[in-house]
Structures are given as structure tokens and as C-alpha cells.
Amino acid sequence: MRKRLYPHPAAVYLILLLAVILVSWAGSIIEIRNADSYSSLIIRSILSAGGMRWMVSNAPVSLQHAPIGNAVMLFMTAGVLKASGLWNAFSRIRRLAPKENASLVVALVSLLLLALLFFMSAVSGSRLATGLAAGFSDSPLVRGFIFMLMITASVPSVAYGLACGAFQSVQDCVEAFACMIRPMAHFLICMLIASQLLDAFSYSRLDRFLGLGQQTMKIIAFILYWLPLPIIMRRNQKTQSNI
């Protein structure tokens, strides 16, 4: 078996977190100041008494900033698509058995009914597409895009699974939604460490010291949270192929 030549993303994030802690400690000791925009800004040490109290009490709060919910919903969507057989059916659409064709029709009908329900909700005054402020960018449809995606994929997947016999009970459906969460546990751990890293970076004032604005930090957060996903998926594929 060939050994991996690259570290786990969680290990990389943990090293970066330790680096931020050490830099904050060193910066606070020698009182590094930013002479440009923040002449009075001094880096705050995470290893100080106040910093240690913050780190211990803020650890659960940091995780709330990570898009864990969106990640879990994506894994649930992938799981039900795979376990129901709907994804596989679309990949070989021209070579389906009669029962699979009939099941696919059931899935498409359920999708059309769901689309009709969404349309009726949108035009009935619920403002799903515009929100209360009549703006699309901050509408429930945009903020809940991952949830909408999960519903849109789950309804036809469950319908297909029930029609073709892949799902025999509610237990089968629940297991289908959960089947991709366990393989992606490594990614959730990466999100946990990334949330601590980002909050430590902000607490130490290193973001302000480097002149990083809110929009820049949002971009950095998005990259840190989601970059490990393709890496973890690739690692899982290699692990399964080596079994």
C-alpha cells in the first residue's frame, strides 16, 4: 500500500491554530504595533489569563460559526441519492430495467409536484424569493439554498427508492440519509478546528493587524471551511479502493 505524502487537512489546521497562538503570545510580549492603520493596536495573547479563559469558554461558540448544518444537509442529500439508486439510474439512463423506468417516472412526477408546491408558495405572498425586505440576495430562498437543494433531491430519491424496492421501511430511508455522514466525519472535524482557528485569529487581533477587512475574512473563512471537502472525498476514495 502506497503511503500518503500529504498530511491530513485537520493536522494542517491544528498546526496553523498553534502558530496563531504562539504568534499572539510573542506579539503581545514584544508589543508589535501596526504603524499604518492601527498605531495603538497591540496583538492580544491567547496564552494570557484572559486569553485562556476566552479559549475555553468560546470553543463551543466557535463551532456555531461553522456551516456545519449546510455540510450535514449536503451529506444527507448525497446519501439518499446514492442509497436510493436514483443517482445510478441517471448515470445509465439508457440501460434501465422496466421496473427502474417506472420508478424513475414516479420520481419525476414527485419532483414536478414539489416544483408546483414551491411555485405556489412563491406566488402566494410568502415571499420565499424576495424576503420581507423585498431583496433576493437576503431572501429565504438564498439563505436556505442548501436546505432547498436537499428537499429537491430527497423527495424524488425517496420516491424512487420506495418504487424500485431499495427502501422497504422508514428505517431504510433514515439509514440512506445517514450513510454519507460517517465517511465525511473527517471533514466535520476539519470544520471544528477551522472554526477555532478563525476565532483565535480574530481574538488575537491579527486580522486587524494585517489589515484584513470583514469581506476578506469571509472569503478566508469560506476557503478554510470548504477546501478540505474534495481532499477528504479523495482520501475516502483511495481508502475504499485499497480495501
Side-chain angles (χ1 to χ4, degrees):
M1 183 183 299
R2 183 183 300 177
K3 294 184 178 180
R4 296 187 178 96
L5 300 179
Y6 52 91
H8 195 288
V12 175
Y13 284 178
L14 185 58
I15 292 173
L16 290 175
L17 174 59
L18 294 175
V20 168
I21 293 174
L22 291 177
V23 169
S24 73
W25 171 73
S28 65
I29 289 179
I30 61 180
E31 295 188 353
I32 298 177
R33 298 173 183 266
N34 189 321
D36 297 327
S37 303
Y38 299 98
S39 57
S40 62
L41 176 66
I42 301 178
I43 295 178
R44 184 161 50 181
S45 174
I46 300 176
L47 292 180
S48 65
M52 293 296 291
R53 289 193 298 270
W54 168 85
M55 186 167 58
V56 172
S57 62
N58 194 66
V61 180
S62 297
L63 187 56
Q64 296 177 11
H65 301 158
I68 295 289
N70 285 340
V72 171
M73 285 190 289
L74 281 177
F75 301 153
M76 292 171 64
T77 302
V80 73
L81 279 170
K82 178 181 178 181
S84 66
L86 182 59
W87 184 263
N88 184 45
F90 278 122
S91 66
R92 52 186 183 86
I93 192 70
R94 296 182 180 180
R95 296 178 286 107
L96 295 178
K99 186 176 182 179
E100 291 175 319
N101 278 318
S103 300
L104 188 58
V105 171
V106 172
L108 293 176
V109 170
S110 67
L111 182 60
L112 288 175
L113 292 175
L114 181 65
L116 179 61
L117 177 61
F118 286 161
F119 176 77
M120 293 178 62
S121 299
V123 300
S124 65
S126 61
R127 295 187 179 181
L128 285 177
T130 60
L132 296 177
F136 179 75
S137 61
D138 195 41
S139 67
L141 193 62
V142 173
R143 289 186 281 110
F145 173 76
I146 300 298
F147 174 74
M148 297 291 291
L149 177 64
M150 183 185 71
I151 296 298
T152 303
S154 299
V155 169
S157 295
V158 172
Y160 181 88
L162 292 173
C164 71
F167 298 155
Q168 300 290 336
S169 63
V170 175
Q171 178 72 17
D172 292 338
C173 295
V174 174
E175 290 180 357
F177 280 104
C179 69
M180 290 297 293
I181 295 179
R182 187 173 183 274
M184 289 293 112
H186 289 222
F187 174 65
L188 298 179
I189 293 174
C190 290
M191 272 197 168
L192 168 63
I193 302 176
S195 67
Q196 307 300 317
L197 171 61
L198 289 165
D199 270 17
F201 196 73
S202 177
Y203 176 85
S204 64
R205 298 173 179 165
L206 283 171
D207 55 342
R208 295 172 58 193
F209 180 81
L210 296 175
L212 302 178
Q214 290 186 355
Q215 292 302 320
T216 302
M217 287 304 300
K218 286 182 179 180
I219 294 174
I220 293 174
F222 179 85
I223 294 174
L224 287 178
Y225 283 136
W226 294 104
L227 180 61
L229 181 57
I231 299 174
I232 297 297
M233 292 176 64
R234 181 62 177 169
R235 291 174 69 98
N236 287 345
Q237 289 177 355
K238 288 185 176 181
T239 300
Q240 292 177 359
S241 63
N242 291 331
I243 295 178

